[in-house]
Amino acid sequence: MGKSIESILKKYDNCSRDSLISLLQEIQENEGFLSEEAIVKTGKKLKIPTSKIYGVATFYNQFRFEPTGKYHVMVCRGTACHVLGSLTVLQELEKVLKIKAGQTTRDGLFSIEVVACMGACGLAPVININGSFYANVTAESIKEIIESYRKKEE
Amino acid sequence: MSIQIEVNGKKLEAFEGETILTALKRNGIRVPTLCHMNDFIPSGACRLCVVEIVGNPRLVSSCSFPVSDGMKILTNSPRVIESRKTIIELLLSNHPDDCLYCIRNNNCELQSLAKEYHVIERRIHGNKNSFKLDHSSTSIVRDPEKCILCGRCVRVCEETIGVSAIEYINRGSKTLIGTTMQKGLNTSSCVNCGQCIMVCPTGALTEKNQTHMVQDALQQKDKTLVVQYAPSISVSIAEEFGMAPGTDINGLLNAALRKMGFKYVFDTTFGADLTIMEEASELIQRITEGKTLPMFTSCCPAWVKYIEEFAPDFIDNLSTCKSPQQMTGAVIKSYFAEQSNLKPEDIISVSIMPCTAKKFEMQRETMGRNGVKDVDIAITTRELIELIHLHGIDMKTIQPEITDSPMGVRSSAGKIFGATGGVMEAALRTAYKKITGEELVDFKINAVRGFEGRKEAKIKINDDLEVGVAVISGLGNVRALLDEIRNGKNDVHFIEVMTCPGGCVAGGGQRIGVDRSFIEARTKSLYDIDDRETIKVSHKNPEIIELYDNYFGHPLSHKSHELLHTCYMERDVLL
């Protein structure tokens, strides 16, 4: 965090449209997400219509368009986790938080991100909340995990 | 170079470098496609045009595969047909299946192909996506659920129009066509031209249909119903009623509109003449008084919006003249209202346009006064056809009628507004007279006619003045010209821009599914009218002369500025 969109864009002064993805990645790294403002400014910089940028960005799972929540839940959907039921975990999580992957709850507390593999296949299905790993998660345990974070906030 | 190919056992001639599809088409062999468009680089998205090449283990998409000498092609082998049928079934597997309630019923490429390939049962069940209807635009409605992702609209918007308001969003089975941040067309850079509708194979893109508003208006007995129709309308609907494409059915149209219940039928071509009177005077004023040049025409509402969004540095170059639709509307609610002892608010003014952007233009803030709009409802050619059918009017048995005064007489200069270059030609005829005091010897200005995307010419007015003109057909061609002007190009004084390639005869509100020959027939018809008729210049239209004598005084007068001119503003949209 810290660098403004302008200062990032400045680095791409003589760049063409091929730099789009690395530019978006850098903005997301700083801002946590791609805002409408960021997309408009990127479009002006690289002379690409915003619709094209949005199209490219939505093609990849890595980009999000809402700020992350206070607790950012990453759900692994890699092969090992998939085999051991990560889809049920994700669906249950979406139900509990009443948001979809890529979204943030209205109170700004939780956000969900689906990731391809965390490299912790031995712990499958695995999730990660703000850096802490939770192993062998089930549809039941995910509810308790979320509840524990909610309690913290009370 | 000419080469030989064999198609279904028959030898045919093809040319090196062309695609199989092009060669087949030229030889009269029809291959189904859902994504192919003439004059576009093939995308190969829909796979319906697959054919079998003997010796090639895989089917190839004929739209993107080049011919080669001695190639043996099977266009209708059982394998090909099975494959195409499966593609159609897959497309239908997540389609809403509400054909009966769809505006494109009986005029849908997907529906026709399903019938052609004998798809009579649902073999494949797919998960249906639930996407939101985008109702936000004044002109265009998008229903992503009916979309088959052929990508034609995306390509037209980018390559022909140069706007790129829509794009593929997301990936895989979640893919849809949408706008930036999925905020809807009204906050996008969409200029409402409707060319996306013209290429959509299904009902995913349609105009914002307002026939029900016309129907309601026709029932309001305490109001006076007035209708106007654009110059291109009378030559654009004949084929719907079994007549030759391009036939001018002006008289029948008047009769049909009266049968529908309109009390007064006016011709927007009169407004076109009025536009020319004002616009030619404005051009001369700009040239003689050294004001901002080049001047841009302002008849095309999509083009006007484009400038407001993409090139606000050129706003002062836009002619301040309202478009013919709005001028006619303004005269209806002022001069005509006064003459007929009607209150402007008691008139419902309907316009019939070849254009979806006119629905946007009529609701612009500056298009009216004292809470009274110049035009109340703007419908497209398609909606007009719907209304004619709805009212059970048999165009073959009715007798032609004439338009009403004081906006019934027109010049043929106003009529050619419907084709690319028409506004330019009409304006030059009147400007020439205004500057030199004499009429042009030959009214035909061939340099500005024709379908090319960009035409330029120098018109010698007198020894001191040569006017440089440029005509743009297809909005995508304008960007380069604007850049040239920014970089110092100064040999053009007057630029006409029409967003739709070919002009209003090919507008986004016209009948869907017509090919180029229809557009050419409509254009020819307009120019034939110009050849045939005697009043070839706007300033000789007797009703125009009368209007200025009785009401406006002269072009660019205080009154005409009040009623016939407008202003523009920079627009903040997601470019």
Side-chain angles (χ1 to χ4, degrees), chain B residues 282-445:
Chain B
E282 188 186 346
L283 176 66
I284 294 165
Q285 194 187 53
R286 282 183 188 234
I287 293 175
T288 53
E289 293 178 14
K291 290 185 181 164
T292 314
L293 284 171
M295 184 173 89
F296 299 149
T297 55
S298 56
C299 300
C300 174
W303 155 240
V304 168
K305 188 164 185 261
Y306 178 90
I307 281 283
E308 291 177 323
E309 296 172 353
F310 287 88
D313 51 326
F314 281 110
I315 280 183
D316 288 342
N317 296 67
L318 275 174
S319 161
T320 59
C321 294
K322 286 183 184 174
S323 71
Q325 162 180 265
Q326 297 302 140
M327 283 206 185
T328 310
V331 175
I332 287 171
K333 296 234 178 144
S334 57
Y335 176 66
F336 166 76
E338 280 173 34
Q339 280 214 322
S340 328
N341 283 322
L342 290 166
K343 282 193 214 142
E345 53 269 32
D346 287 339
I347 298 173
I348 298 181
S349 167
V350 178
S351 69
I352 301 164
M353 296 286 137
C355 180
T356 45
K358 291 286 173 190
K359 290 176 188 282
F360 173 82
E361 183 184 53
M362 53 130 320
Q363 54 85 55
R364 291 176 66 107
E365 271 172 34
T366 55
M367 296 299 179
R369 68 218 68 77
N370 309 328
V372 176
K373 287 196 281 187
D374 292 340
V375 173
D376 296 296
I377 308 167
I379 60 169
T380 59
T381 319
R382 294 190 289 273
E383 290 162 272
L384 166 70
I385 291 169
E386 229 177 277
L387 282 168
I388 292 175
H389 289 310
L390 184 64
H391 284 259
I393 296 163
D394 180 2
M395 296 294 271
K396 282 184 182 151
T397 56
I398 58 175
Q399 292 302 310
E401 293 175 14
I402 57 165
T403 33
D404 285 296
S405 247
M407 281 163 279
V409 181
R410 57 161 169 79
S411 78
S412 62
K415 199 70 184 166
I416 59 173
F417 259 57
T420 167
V423 178
M424 175 63 68
E425 190 168 338
L428 287 174
R429 289 177 189 179
T430 292
Y432 186 89
K433 165 76 165 80
K434 278 186 184 274
I435 298 172
T436 64
E438 287 166 31
E439 297 290 352
L440 272 170
V441 186
D442 184 8
F443 286 115
K444 249 192 202 175
I445 306 175

Side-chain angles (χ1 to χ4, degrees), chain B residues 85 88-90 92-93 97 114 117-125:
Chain B
K85 188 173 177 182
I88 297 165
E89 288 179 300
L90 283 167
L92 288 172
S93 72
D97 279 352
Y117 281 80
H118 200 64
V119 178
I120 50 163
E121 62 170 336
R122 182 181 288 287
R123 213 157 51 88
I124 307 165
H125 291 265

